[in-house]
Amino acid sequence: MKTKYLPLLGLAMLAPLAHSETLSISCGAVGAELQLCKEGVDAWAAKTGNTVKLVSTPNSSTERLSLYQQILSAGSTDLDVMQIDVVWPGMLASQLLDLTPYIKDQAEFFPSMISNDTINGKLVAMPWFTDAGLLFYRKDLLEKYKLPIPATWSELSQSAKVIQDGERQAGNSQMWGYVWQGRAYEGLTCDALEWVYSHNGGTLINDKGEVDVTNPGVIAALNQAKSWVNTISPEGVLNYAEEEARGVFQTGNAVFMRNWPYAWSLAQASDSPIKDKVGVAPLPKGGEDGKHAATLGGWQLAVSKYSQHPQLAADLVSYLTSYEEQKRRAIKGTYNPTRPALYQDAEVTTAVPFFKDLYDVFVNGVPRPSSISGDKYGQVSNLFFNMVHVVLADSMSPEKAAETMQKKLERILR
């Protein structure tokens, strides 16, 4: 069966093929996501005799959430299966199908991930792949300049400047020291939370539901990040999402990059200018007394409760999150499995050695404050990334931004 690419509008007017049902699924398109999704759904379609349409959605997680909310609030049947962010189950739960009767192998997944996707006793999504922020670095350039992998953000800043200046003098005028996700969207929430947590600044809202964004760790983190713009990071980084950062790094024009694991397989592709020149490490600490921090990411598969084929849609979710399909995606696209057994699979660890080396980073990532803020998380994150962006653009001091966030977050959570 061929996967059909169709715009969202007009899907409902298309009749299913004879002797089969037609499902629609939304997949991301960052890196190799779309191609791997297409291959997976094609395999399921061939196995079951059904047809699957891939519906394009924005790469920006913030824009994608808005689209999903519009579709679901309208009770639309245009989407059967949706790829949703790890922080969305609580926000979308009331309009998602309870998968409990359909998924029989829940015990084979990380318990914390199943727990994340279980809202009020209902399994509203299945973990498809997990993520944690990582530091990608040019190991050839660190060796050339006799510099170690940076353990702290200050060390990264210093090494990035030394190598950036040296490479520019050697002829690469496009070289930058560090690229990351600076656009005002959910990706900046992830990056900034890592800066804050690594400086012992907490996670914005503590376990008691108290807002805490004016502490010294928050101020230090924002000052540090602000200092990168136009020194070791281009001014344009304030418009970078994942792919923009990867584009600069993979063309050989950055020393360090913060990104998700998917970037590894693309950097190692046969046509990559930096093939075999890249290393991966935990993100730096916020100082000697700080700690390594990696925001927990990841994507789930959920079924709309408005789907006209709920059992079939749940079967597609079960197939795409199966051991063999997750193994294929791990080897081919560096997508972190949500099944612990795959981190011991020799074929997986041979293809992606850092899966085993950085296992603790992936399973102990820093959670965004989505559980504690519930359906208000969207407002919390939106405020946070916008205020951080204002600081990075040098339009407000970190102290003033923190005071503003404190007051507005407390108001949101009342």
Side-chain angles (χ1 to χ4, degrees), residues 19-65:
H19 310 300
S20 71
E21 299 294 355
T22 301
L23 295 181
S24 56
I25 183 173
S26 66
C27 297
V30 174
E33 268 190 299
L34 191 62
Q35 180 61 31
L36 288 170
C37 180
K38 179 185 181 300
E39 292 167 359
V41 298
D42 277 351
W44 179 85
K47 177 183 176 183
T48 63
N50 295 288
T51 300
V52 184
K53 302 173 192 144
L54 265 65
V55 179
S56 61
T57 55
N59 278 344
S60 164
S61 54
T62 304
E63 294 174 12
R64 194 186 308 185
L65 173 60

Short mmCIF file of all heavy atoms in Angstrom, two decimals, residues 19-65:
data_model
loop_
_atom_site.label_atom_id
_atom_site.label_comp_id
_atom_site.label_asym_id
_atom_site.label_seq_id
_atom_site.Cartn_x
_atom_site.Cartn_y
_atom_site.Cartn_z
N HIS A 19 -12.85 -2.58 0.02
CA HIS A 19 -12.31 -3.72 0.75
C HIS A 19 -11.22 -3.33 1.75
O HIS A 19 -10.43 -4.17 2.17
CB HIS A 19 -11.76 -4.79 -0.21
CG HIS A 19 -12.72 -5.16 -1.30
ND1 HIS A 19 -13.98 -5.67 -1.04
CD2 HIS A 19 -12.63 -5.04 -2.65
CE1 HIS A 19 -14.61 -5.88 -2.19
NE2 HIS A 19 -13.82 -5.50 -3.18
N SER A 20 -11.13 -2.08 2.09
CA SER A 20 -10.16 -1.68 3.10
C SER A 20 -10.66 -0.41 3.78
O SER A 20 -11.57 0.25 3.28
CB SER A 20 -8.78 -1.44 2.49
OG SER A 20 -8.79 -0.27 1.72
N GLU A 21 -10.06 -0.12 4.91
CA GLU A 21 -10.38 1.13 5.60
C GLU A 21 -9.25 2.12 5.37
O GLU A 21 -8.12 1.74 5.03
CB GLU A 21 -10.55 0.88 7.11
CG GLU A 21 -11.68 -0.09 7.46
CD GLU A 21 -13.07 0.44 7.12
OE1 GLU A 21 -13.18 1.61 6.69
OE2 GLU A 21 -14.03 -0.32 7.26
N THR A 22 -9.56 3.38 5.55
CA THR A 22 -8.57 4.43 5.36
C THR A 22 -8.37 5.18 6.67
O THR A 22 -9.33 5.69 7.24
CB THR A 22 -9.01 5.42 4.27
OG1 THR A 22 -9.18 4.71 3.04
CG2 THR A 22 -7.95 6.51 4.07
N LEU A 23 -7.14 5.21 7.14
CA LEU A 23 -6.79 5.94 8.35
C LEU A 23 -5.91 7.13 7.99
O LEU A 23 -5.23 7.13 6.96
CB LEU A 23 -6.02 5.04 9.33
CG LEU A 23 -6.74 3.85 9.95
CD1 LEU A 23 -5.80 3.13 10.91
CD2 LEU A 23 -8.00 4.27 10.65
N SER A 24 -5.89 8.12 8.86
CA SER A 24 -4.99 9.27 8.68
C SER A 24 -4.13 9.40 9.93
O SER A 24 -4.58 9.14 11.05
CB SER A 24 -5.80 10.55 8.45
OG SER A 24 -6.70 10.77 9.52
N ILE A 25 -2.88 9.78 9.73
CA ILE A 25 -1.93 9.94 10.83
C ILE A 25 -1.10 11.18 10.60
O ILE A 25 -0.74 11.50 9.46
CB ILE A 25 -1.02 8.69 10.98
CG1 ILE A 25 -0.08 8.85 12.18
CG2 ILE A 25 -0.22 8.43 9.72
CD1 ILE A 25 0.74 7.59 12.49
N SER A 26 -0.82 11.91 11.66
CA SER A 26 0.08 13.05 11.56
C SER A 26 1.43 12.65 12.15
O SER A 26 1.49 12.09 13.24
CB SER A 26 -0.47 14.25 12.33
OG SER A 26 -0.50 13.98 13.72
N CYS A 27 2.49 12.90 11.40
CA CYS A 27 3.86 12.62 11.87
C CYS A 27 4.67 13.90 11.76
O CYS A 27 4.36 14.77 10.94
CB CYS A 27 4.53 11.55 11.02
SG CYS A 27 3.74 9.93 11.08
N GLY A 28 5.72 14.00 12.55
CA GLY A 28 6.62 15.13 12.44
C GLY A 28 7.48 15.01 11.20
O GLY A 28 7.53 13.96 10.55
N ALA A 29 8.19 16.08 10.87
CA ALA A 29 9.06 16.07 9.69
C ALA A 29 10.44 16.63 10.01
O ALA A 29 11.14 17.11 9.12
CB ALA A 29 8.41 16.87 8.57
N VAL A 30 10.84 16.57 11.29
CA VAL A 30 12.17 17.02 11.68
C VAL A 30 13.16 15.91 11.36
O VAL A 30 12.96 14.75 11.75
CB VAL A 30 12.22 17.36 13.18
CG1 VAL A 30 13.64 17.69 13.60
CG2 VAL A 30 11.30 18.54 13.47
N GLY A 31 14.23 16.25 10.64
CA GLY A 31 15.21 15.23 10.28
C GLY A 31 14.59 14.16 9.41
O GLY A 31 13.94 14.43 8.41
N ALA A 32 14.77 12.88 9.82
CA ALA A 32 14.26 11.75 9.03
C ALA A 32 12.89 11.28 9.50
O ALA A 32 12.41 10.23 9.07
CB ALA A 32 15.27 10.60 9.12
N GLU A 33 12.24 12.05 10.38
CA GLU A 33 10.96 11.62 10.97
C GLU A 33 9.93 11.20 9.94
O GLU A 33 9.32 10.13 10.04
CB GLU A 33 10.36 12.77 11.80
CG GLU A 33 10.74 12.78 13.25
CD GLU A 33 9.90 13.79 14.01
OE1 GLU A 33 9.98 14.99 13.71
OE2 GLU A 33 9.17 13.37 14.92
N LEU A 34 9.68 12.04 8.96
CA LEU A 34 8.60 11.78 8.01
C LEU A 34 8.86 10.52 7.20
O LEU A 34 7.96 9.70 7.01
CB LEU A 34 8.42 12.98 7.09
CG LEU A 34 7.17 12.96 6.21
CD1 LEU A 34 5.91 12.95 7.06
CD2 LEU A 34 7.16 14.15 5.25
N GLN A 35 10.10 10.35 6.74
CA GLN A 35 10.43 9.17 5.94
C GLN A 35 10.28 7.89 6.76
O GLN A 35 9.73 6.89 6.29
CB GLN A 35 11.87 9.28 5.40
CG GLN A 35 12.31 8.08 4.56
CD GLN A 35 11.46 7.87 3.32
OE1 GLN A 35 10.92 8.84 2.76
NE2 GLN A 35 11.31 6.63 2.90
N LEU A 36 10.76 7.92 8.01
CA LEU A 36 10.65 6.73 8.86
C LEU A 36 9.20 6.42 9.20
O LEU A 36 8.80 5.26 9.27
CB LEU A 36 11.45 6.93 10.14
CG LEU A 36 12.97 6.88 9.97
CD1 LEU A 36 13.67 7.32 11.25
CD2 LEU A 36 13.43 5.48 9.58
N CYS A 37 8.40 7.46 9.40
CA CYS A 37 6.98 7.26 9.66
C CYS A 37 6.31 6.64 8.44
O CYS A 37 5.52 5.70 8.57
CB CYS A 37 6.33 8.58 10.03
SG CYS A 37 4.56 8.45 10.39
N LYS A 38 6.61 7.16 7.28
CA LYS A 38 6.04 6.64 6.04
C LYS A 38 6.36 5.16 5.88
O LYS A 38 5.49 4.35 5.54
CB LYS A 38 6.57 7.42 4.84
CG LYS A 38 6.06 6.92 3.49
CD LYS A 38 6.71 7.67 2.34
CE LYS A 38 6.16 7.18 1.01
NZ LYS A 38 6.39 5.74 0.76
N GLU A 39 7.62 4.80 6.13
CA GLU A 39 8.01 3.39 5.99
C GLU A 39 7.25 2.51 6.97
O GLU A 39 6.82 1.40 6.63
CB GLU A 39 9.52 3.27 6.21
CG GLU A 39 10.35 3.91 5.10
CD GLU A 39 11.82 4.06 5.45
OE1 GLU A 39 12.21 3.69 6.58
OE2 GLU A 39 12.59 4.55 4.61
N GLY A 40 7.08 3.00 8.20
CA GLY A 40 6.37 2.24 9.21
C GLY A 40 4.91 2.03 8.88
O GLY A 40 4.39 0.90 8.97
N VAL A 41 4.23 3.10 8.47
CA VAL A 41 2.80 2.96 8.17
C VAL A 41 2.59 2.18 6.88
O VAL A 41 1.58 1.46 6.74
CB VAL A 41 2.08 4.32 8.11
CG1 VAL A 41 2.16 5.03 9.45
CG2 VAL A 41 2.62 5.21 7.01
N ASP A 42 3.52 2.28 5.94
CA ASP A 42 3.42 1.47 4.72
C ASP A 42 3.49 -0.02 5.06
O ASP A 42 2.77 -0.84 4.48
CB ASP A 42 4.55 1.82 3.75
CG ASP A 42 4.24 3.06 2.91
OD1 ASP A 42 3.09 3.54 2.96
OD2 ASP A 42 5.15 3.53 2.20
N ALA A 43 4.39 -0.37 5.98
CA ALA A 43 4.53 -1.78 6.38
C ALA A 43 3.24 -2.27 7.04
O ALA A 43 2.77 -3.39 6.78
CB ALA A 43 5.71 -1.94 7.33
N TRP A 44 2.65 -1.44 7.91
CA TRP A 44 1.39 -1.83 8.56
C TRP A 44 0.27 -1.94 7.53
O TRP A 44 -0.54 -2.87 7.58
CB TRP A 44 1.02 -0.80 9.63
CG TRP A 44 -0.28 -1.10 10.33
CD1 TRP A 44 -0.47 -1.92 11.40
CD2 TRP A 44 -1.57 -0.59 9.98
NE1 TRP A 44 -1.80 -1.96 11.75
CE2 TRP A 44 -2.50 -1.15 10.89
CE3 TRP A 44 -2.04 0.28 9.00
CZ2 TRP A 44 -3.87 -0.86 10.85
CZ3 TRP A 44 -3.39 0.57 8.95
CH2 TRP A 44 -4.30 0.00 9.86
N ALA A 45 0.22 -1.01 6.59
CA ALA A 45 -0.82 -1.03 5.56
C ALA A 45 -0.72 -2.29 4.71
O ALA A 45 -1.72 -2.94 4.40
CB ALA A 45 -0.72 0.22 4.69
N ALA A 46 0.51 -2.65 4.33
CA ALA A 46 0.70 -3.86 3.53
C ALA A 46 0.30 -5.11 4.31
O ALA A 46 -0.27 -6.05 3.76
CB ALA A 46 2.16 -3.95 3.10
N LYS A 47 0.58 -5.10 5.60
CA LYS A 47 0.26 -6.25 6.46
C LYS A 47 -1.24 -6.41 6.66
O LYS A 47 -1.76 -7.54 6.70
CB LYS A 47 0.97 -6.07 7.81
CG LYS A 47 0.67 -7.15 8.82
CD LYS A 47 1.37 -6.83 10.14
CE LYS A 47 1.01 -7.86 11.22
NZ LYS A 47 1.64 -7.52 12.52
N THR A 48 -1.94 -5.30 6.78
CA THR A 48 -3.37 -5.36 7.13
C THR A 48 -4.32 -5.14 5.96
O THR A 48 -5.52 -5.37 6.09
CB THR A 48 -3.70 -4.30 8.21
OG1 THR A 48 -3.46 -2.99 7.67
CG2 THR A 48 -2.83 -4.52 9.45
N GLY A 49 -3.78 -4.69 4.83
CA GLY A 49 -4.64 -4.43 3.68
C GLY A 49 -5.39 -3.13 3.74
O GLY A 49 -6.35 -2.92 2.98
N ASN A 50 -4.98 -2.23 4.61
CA ASN A 50 -5.63 -0.93 4.72
C ASN A 50 -4.77 0.16 4.10
O ASN A 50 -3.66 -0.09 3.64
CB ASN A 50 -5.90 -0.62 6.20
CG ASN A 50 -6.90 -1.58 6.80
OD1 ASN A 50 -8.09 -1.52 6.50
ND2 ASN A 50 -6.42 -2.49 7.66
N THR A 51 -5.30 1.36 4.11
CA THR A 51 -4.60 2.51 3.53
C THR A 51 -4.37 3.55 4.63
O THR A 51 -5.22 3.73 5.50
CB THR A 51 -5.43 3.15 2.40
OG1 THR A 51 -5.65 2.17 1.39
CG2 THR A 51 -4.72 4.35 1.79
N VAL A 52 -3.22 4.20 4.59
CA VAL A 52 -2.91 5.24 5.57
C VAL A 52 -2.51 6.51 4.84
O VAL A 52 -1.70 6.48 3.91
CB VAL A 52 -1.77 4.81 6.51
CG1 VAL A 52 -1.55 5.89 7.57
CG2 VAL A 52 -2.06 3.47 7.16
N LYS A 53 -3.10 7.62 5.25
CA LYS A 53 -2.72 8.93 4.71
C LYS A 53 -1.88 9.65 5.74
O LYS A 53 -2.22 9.68 6.92
CB LYS A 53 -3.96 9.77 4.42
CG LYS A 53 -4.95 9.17 3.47
CD LYS A 53 -6.18 10.06 3.43
CE LYS A 53 -7.33 9.36 2.72
NZ LYS A 53 -8.63 9.69 3.34
N LEU A 54 -0.80 10.26 5.30
CA LEU A 54 0.03 11.09 6.17
C LEU A 54 -0.42 12.53 6.04
O LEU A 54 -0.46 13.07 4.93
CB LEU A 54 1.50 10.96 5.81
CG LEU A 54 2.31 9.94 6.63
CD1 LEU A 54 1.79 8.54 6.34
CD2 LEU A 54 3.78 10.03 6.31
N VAL A 55 -0.78 13.13 7.16
CA VAL A 55 -1.25 14.51 7.17
C VAL A 55 -0.11 15.41 7.66
O VAL A 55 0.45 15.18 8.72
CB VAL A 55 -2.47 14.67 8.09
CG1 VAL A 55 -2.94 16.11 8.13
CG2 VAL A 55 -3.60 13.75 7.62
N SER A 56 0.23 16.40 6.88
CA SER A 56 1.33 17.28 7.27
C SER A 56 0.89 18.22 8.39
O SER A 56 -0.23 18.71 8.41
CB SER A 56 1.81 18.10 6.07
OG SER A 56 0.77 18.91 5.57
N THR A 57 1.80 18.44 9.33
CA THR A 57 1.56 19.35 10.45
C THR A 57 2.81 20.20 10.63
O THR A 57 3.89 19.84 10.16
CB THR A 57 1.27 18.59 11.76
OG1 THR A 57 2.35 17.68 12.02
CG2 THR A 57 -0.04 17.81 11.66
N PRO A 58 2.72 21.34 11.31
CA PRO A 58 3.90 22.20 11.50
C PRO A 58 5.01 21.50 12.29
O PRO A 58 4.73 20.69 13.18
CB PRO A 58 3.34 23.39 12.30
CG PRO A 58 1.87 23.36 12.07
CD PRO A 58 1.51 21.92 11.91
N ASN A 59 6.26 21.81 11.97
CA ASN A 59 7.37 21.28 12.75
C ASN A 59 7.42 21.88 14.14
O ASN A 59 7.82 21.22 15.10
CB ASN A 59 8.71 21.54 12.03
CG ASN A 59 8.99 20.50 10.96
OD1 ASN A 59 8.37 19.45 10.92
ND2 ASN A 59 9.91 20.81 10.07
N SER A 60 7.03 23.14 14.26
CA SER A 60 7.01 23.79 15.57
C SER A 60 5.99 23.09 16.46
O SER A 60 4.80 23.00 16.10
CB SER A 60 6.65 25.27 15.42
OG SER A 60 6.28 25.82 16.67
N SER A 61 6.45 22.60 17.62
CA SER A 61 5.52 21.91 18.51
C SER A 61 4.43 22.84 19.02
O SER A 61 3.29 22.41 19.24
CB SER A 61 6.29 21.29 19.68
OG SER A 61 7.07 22.26 20.35
N THR A 62 4.76 24.11 19.18
CA THR A 62 3.77 25.08 19.65
C THR A 62 2.65 25.24 18.62
O THR A 62 1.47 25.22 18.96
CB THR A 62 4.44 26.44 19.90
OG1 THR A 62 5.52 26.27 20.83
CG2 THR A 62 3.45 27.45 20.46
N GLU A 63 3.02 25.35 17.35
CA GLU A 63 2.02 25.49 16.29
C GLU A 63 1.25 24.19 16.08
O GLU A 63 0.05 24.21 15.78
CB GLU A 63 2.71 25.90 14.98
CG GLU A 63 3.34 27.28 15.02
CD GLU A 63 4.15 27.59 13.78
OE1 GLU A 63 4.03 26.83 12.78
OE2 GLU A 63 4.91 28.57 13.79
N ARG A 64 1.91 23.06 16.26
CA ARG A 64 1.23 21.78 16.08
C ARG A 64 0.17 21.56 17.15
O ARG A 64 -0.93 21.07 16.88
CB ARG A 64 2.24 20.62 16.10
CG ARG A 64 1.66 19.31 15.57
CD ARG A 64 2.58 18.13 15.73
NE ARG A 64 3.91 18.38 15.17
CZ ARG A 64 4.86 17.45 15.11
NH1 ARG A 64 4.61 16.23 15.57
NH2 ARG A 64 6.03 17.74 14.61
N LEU A 65 0.49 21.93 18.39
CA LEU A 65 -0.48 21.80 19.46
C LEU A 65 -1.72 22.64 19.16
O LEU A 65 -2.86 22.18 19.35
CB LEU A 65 0.13 22.24 20.79
CG LEU A 65 -0.82 22.31 21.98
CD1 LEU A 65 -1.45 20.95 22.26
CD2 LEU A 65 -0.11 22.84 23.22
#
